[in-house]
Amino acid sequence: MRAVDQELLEKTEIYQRLDHAIVERLVRDCPVREYPKNAILTQQGDASEYVHLILSGRVALMAECCDGETTVVTTFGSGEIFVSAATILQMPYLVTTKTTAPSRVLLIPSARFRQALETEHALALMMVDRLARHWRLLVEHLRELKLHTAIERLASYLVRHSPVASGAARFRLADDRKTIAAELGMSSECLSRTFQQLRGYGIRASGSRVEIADVRKLRDLYRPVARAASNAHATAGSATPHEGLALS
């Protein structure tokens, strides 16, 4: 592994959470591949050959119908593992994955990853934690599509990606608008109209640049869901900002 890839690996969650010796055994001699934007990494329906760890860049998970229609399910960024569920279950990929930016991806052979899960207790616990969090995010994503309006969904998306929790914020969108629209379950035209509607809430957007006058005010636009009767079983960190869904 090149020195630059080793540096990127050391920034990932898997490296920071596990004993380094475990990670080094897992990734020893694994290839690192460089992909341009819009490169296909995996194809829906194919057998799982690798677990993918993004060292840099960004990847979209896309669902396809037989008539050729596609939509973006979610996106992953640097440091994240994706299409691990297909490897663990030894089932075909549920989605096609495509880069949305130039990316460097570490490929861990599926058989090696499954063997490590059986022998490395810490890795197994980490994957249980990640898949449980991804399941919660999946349910949250479905709930947004079914219960919330387009303007609420976009407001929630902007709040999740804001670098601050309150006050003014300026940042760039991680994905292009077509990808964001598909992820939020709307057309590109609807996304543009929704951005216009949010101007009344202090949102200014031009291309990938976004300015929010008051993040807390924008958060208040999103109708909260009904709380469970008791929070006795809630744990710290049980709901985290969007990190991608394990739909593969």
Side-chain angles (χ1 to χ4, degrees), residues 99-240:
T99 58
T100 60
S103 303
R104 296 185 66 81
V105 181
L106 176 70
L107 305 181
I108 305 171
S110 294
R112 180 189 294 189
F113 192 81
R114 285 193 299 270
Q115 183 179 27
L117 286 175
E118 294 178 359
T119 59
E120 304 291 356
H121 182 66
L123 174 63
L125 283 178
M126 191 197 84
M127 291 307 300
V128 168
D129 176 82
R130 298 318 301 157
L131 291 172
R133 291 178 187 274
H134 290 160
W135 169 254
R136 289 177 64 86
L137 288 164
L138 169 61
V139 173
E140 184 176 322
H141 185 59
L142 291 174
R143 187 169 59 190
E144 282 196 349
L145 289 174
K146 290 177 177 291
L147 287 178
H148 295 279
T149 64
I151 194 169
E152 287 179 297
R153 295 200 299 276
L154 180 54
S156 175
Y157 179 91
L158 294 175
V159 168
R160 289 198 305 269
H161 288 79
S162 168
V164 297
S166 61
R170 291 184 179 182
F171 57 96
R172 285 185 175 272
L173 299 170
D175 298 300
D176 59 57
R177 290 197 177 199
K178 183 178 180 181
T179 299
I180 295 170
E183 184 175 345
L184 295 179
M186 60 182 80
S187 66
S188 296
E189 294 76 14
C190 179
L191 180 66
S192 294
R193 291 194 299 270
T194 306
F195 265 117
Q196 289 296 320
Q197 291 176 308
L198 283 176
R199 290 180 67 88
Y201 293 88
I203 304 301
R204 296 293 183 271
S206 177
S208 64
R209 296 189 300 275
V210 174
E211 296 183 15
I212 304 175
D214 188 337
V215 175
R216 190 177 300 278
K217 179 180 178 181
L218 186 62
R219 182 185 292 110
D220 291 342
L221 175 62
Y222 186 83
R223 290 176 299 144
V225 298
R227 296 292 184 185
S230 172
N231 289 326
H233 300 291
T235 58
S238 62
T240 61

Side-chain angles (χ1 to χ4, degrees), residues 5-94:
D5 294 323
Q6 181 67 34
E7 290 178 8
L8 292 170
L9 173 64
E10 292 175 6
K11 296 177 182 178
T12 64
E13 179 191 21
I14 189 171
Y15 193 90
Q16 294 177 3
R17 287 189 56 174
L18 300 180
D19 186 286
H20 297 169
I22 295 175
V23 181
E24 295 298 341
R25 286 195 297 271
L26 182 64
V27 306
R28 183 178 297 129
D29 301 324
C30 289
V32 175
R33 294 182 183 169
E34 188 170 359
Y35 297 93
K37 182 179 179 180
N38 294 325
I40 300 296
L41 280 68
T42 66
Q43 195 74 48
Q44 181 176 309
D46 285 353
S48 169
E49 295 184 82
Y50 299 100
V51 168
H52 296 66
L53 173 59
I54 305 173
L55 297 181
S56 65
R58 199 159 182 84
V59 174
L61 274 60
M62 304 173 61
E64 302 175 286
C65 284
C66 58
D67 62 3
E69 184 177 357
T70 65
T71 189
V72 174
V73 178
T74 192
T75 53
F76 287 87
S78 299
E80 296 187 281
I81 291 177
F82 66 98
V83 295
S84 58
T87 285
I88 294 170
L89 296 173
Q90 300 187 59
M91 297 180 69
Y93 295 124
L94 281 179

